[in-house]
């Protein structure tokens, strides 16, 4: 893992947006894996801003979102399709037909999951997967105990995850108990992963992800097995890292040098 620690959350999110834009500019036919959540709202706002300033075109980009609640309509204000349309897709020149979000309703979630997995495969696979990390170490909606070889499937959400997402709904009872999520095994097939973690509430999960054992107890720890992962953190999220001083040594300019791989 390439671990980059920025002084503030603002800096971490800005650099994440720049990395995404760089991918679009250098490979305008890229397949991007996208994430949602509070952290990503700021990342996408910055991405939209620098896209407009640079006049970057998204017309040939294909995107796959990590997850979607199961049991609500896609036009529900709290759905991730609505989230993505609002925060990114409606503000850039991307072709809506090239934006894929898992189904949110139907009679057979297993079939819906298999279809989404097939669409990713048909696209040629994910070139760059954007990820956030949950306080319990989840990536996507791959909660603790998720198989590290899992593919897209229906997952039961933990109470801690439902509580964290409570702010998007009127009452806790309205927060869905299930979601379709891209699996950890599918995430690991991405050519490159970019994970963003900010805030002290993520510190324990971040340490487990980077320095802990690879374990289903912290699904994000599976990223240790990926060949190309960049982790962008602020000081608060990085506070519990045992090798924090080392990560500071190789950040930020040294990481860009061909003589220093971090």
């Amino acid at each position: 893992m390439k671990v980059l620690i920025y002084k503030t959350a603002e800096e971490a999110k800005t650099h994440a947006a720049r990395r995404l834009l760089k991918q679009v500019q250098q490979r305008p036919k890229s397949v991007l894996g996208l994430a949602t959540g509070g952290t990503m709202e700021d990342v996408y706002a910055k991405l939209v801003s620098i896209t407009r300033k640079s006049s970057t075109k998204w017309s040939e980009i294909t995107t796959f979102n990590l997850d979607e609640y199961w049991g609500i309509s896609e036009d529900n204000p709290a759905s991730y399709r609505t989230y993505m349309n609002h925060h990114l897709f409606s503000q850039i020149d991307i072709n809506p037909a090239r934006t894929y979000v898992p189904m949110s309703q139907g009679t057979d979630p297993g079939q819906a999951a298999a279809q989404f997995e097939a669409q990713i495969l048909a696209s040629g696979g994910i070139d760059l997967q954007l990820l956030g990390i949950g306080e319990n170490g989840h990536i996507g909606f791959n909660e603790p105990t998720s198989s590290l070889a899992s593919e897209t499937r229906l997952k039961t959400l933990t109470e801690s995850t439902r509580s964290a997402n409570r702010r998007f709904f009127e009452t806790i009872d309205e927060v869905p108990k299930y979601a379709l999520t891209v699996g950890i095994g599918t995430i690991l097939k991405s050519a490159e992963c970019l994970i963003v973690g900010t805030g002290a509430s993520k510190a324990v999960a971040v340490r487990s992800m980077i320095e802990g054992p690879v374990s289903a107890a912290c699904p994000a720890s599976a990223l240790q097995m990926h060949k190309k992962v960049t982790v962008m953190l602020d000081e608060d999220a990085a506070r519990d890292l045992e090798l924090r001083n080392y990560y500071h040594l190789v950040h930020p300019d040294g990481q860009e040098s061909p003589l220093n791989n971090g």
Side-chain angles (χ1 to χ4, degrees), residues 158-218:
T158 63
E159 288 306 307
S160 64
T161 295
R162 293 183 69 235
S163 294
N165 292 338
R166 159 71 178 80
R167 65 189 184 277
F168 301 112
F169 296 85
E170 291 293 328
T171 67
I172 188 64
D173 291 336
E174 293 181 22
V175 182
K177 296 181 179 180
Y178 306 96
L180 277 186
T181 186
V182 170
I184 297 171
T186 304
I187 291 171
L188 292 178
K189 292 176 184 175
S190 305
E192 182 177 354
C193 293
L194 170 63
I195 185 162
V196 186
T198 60
S201 66
K202 303 294 179 70
V204 172
V206 163
R207 180 175 179 178
S208 295
M209 170 180 67
I210 297 171
E211 298 177 342
V214 176
S215 168
C218 177

Side-chain angles (χ1 to χ4, degrees), residues 2-261:
K2 179 189 289 186
V3 180
L4 303 178
I5 304 172
Y6 299 92
K7 290 183 179 179
T8 66
E10 185 83 2
E11 285 185 67
K13 294 170 185 176
T14 297
H15 280 81
R18 289 175 179 169
R19 174 64 188 91
L20 288 166
L21 186 71
K22 181 179 178 181
Q23 180 74 24
V24 174
Q25 291 174 329
Q26 293 185 345
R27 297 191 61 187
K29 294 185 179 181
S30 288
V31 179
L32 302 181
L34 299 180
T36 54
T39 299
M40 299 307 160
E41 290 181 19
D42 293 334
V43 172
Y44 292 144
K46 297 175 187 301
L47 180 57
V48 167
S49 176
I50 58 178
T51 290
R52 290 174 175 173
K53 289 177 182 177
S54 62
S55 300
T56 300
K57 300 299 182 185
W58 286 70
S59 56
E60 294 185 282
I61 293 291
T62 300
T63 67
F64 287 90
N65 263 77
L66 278 172
D67 40 40
E68 178 61 283
Y69 292 118
W70 184 259
I72 64 175
S73 64
E74 69 171 24
D75 59 358
N76 185 300
S79 77
Y80 287 141
R81 168 57 77 179
T82 297
Y83 174 107
M84 291 305 304
N85 287 344
H86 175 72
H87 290 290
L88 184 62
F89 299 152
S90 66
Q91 302 189 60
I92 57 177
D93 68 334
I94 197 165
N95 180 351
R98 300 180 76 103
T99 65
Y100 295 88
V101 179
M103 288 178 61
S104 61
Q105 290 180 310
T107 58
D108 189 345
Q111 183 180 6
Q115 178 182 336
F116 197 73
E117 193 75 25
Q119 288 170 327
I120 294 174
L121 187 63
S123 76
I126 305 296
D127 295 309
L128 177 61
Q129 176 65 63
L130 176 65
L131 298 163
I133 181 169
E135 293 180 18
N136 63 1
H138 72 239
I139 47 176
F141 273 133
N142 294 287
E143 300 283 24
T145 74
S146 290
S147 165
L148 302 187
S150 56
E151 296 186 337
T152 304
R153 69 219 183 283
L154 188 72
K155 281 293 292 181
T156 301
L157 305 181
T158 63
E159 288 306 307
S160 64
T161 295
R162 293 183 69 235
S163 294
N165 292 338
R166 159 71 178 80
R167 65 189 184 277
F168 301 112
F169 296 85
E170 291 293 328
T171 67
I172 188 64
D173 291 336
E174 293 181 22
V175 182
K177 296 181 179 180
Y178 306 96
L180 277 186
T181 186
V182 170
I184 297 171
T186 304
I187 291 171
L188 292 178
K189 292 176 184 175
S190 305
E192 182 177 354
C193 293
L194 170 63
I195 185 162
V196 186
T198 60
S201 66
K202 303 294 179 70
V204 172
V206 163
R207 180 175 179 178
S208 295
M209 170 180 67
I210 297 171
E211 298 177 342
V214 176
S215 168
C218 177
S221 68
L223 293 171
Q224 293 179 33
M225 299 186 295
H226 195 283
K227 61 184 177 181
K228 192 171 185 181
V229 179
T230 300
V231 186
M232 294 187 174
L233 308 170
D234 67 353
E235 292 282 2
D236 288 338
R239 72 179 186 188
D240 292 345
L241 291 172
E242 202 169 302
L243 298 179
R244 185 174 168 186
N245 289 338
Y246 169 71
Y247 304 136
H248 276 300
L249 279 178
V250 294
H251 164 71
D253 295 331
Q255 291 282 14
E256 301 304 321
S257 168
L259 300 180
N260 188 342
N261 292 323

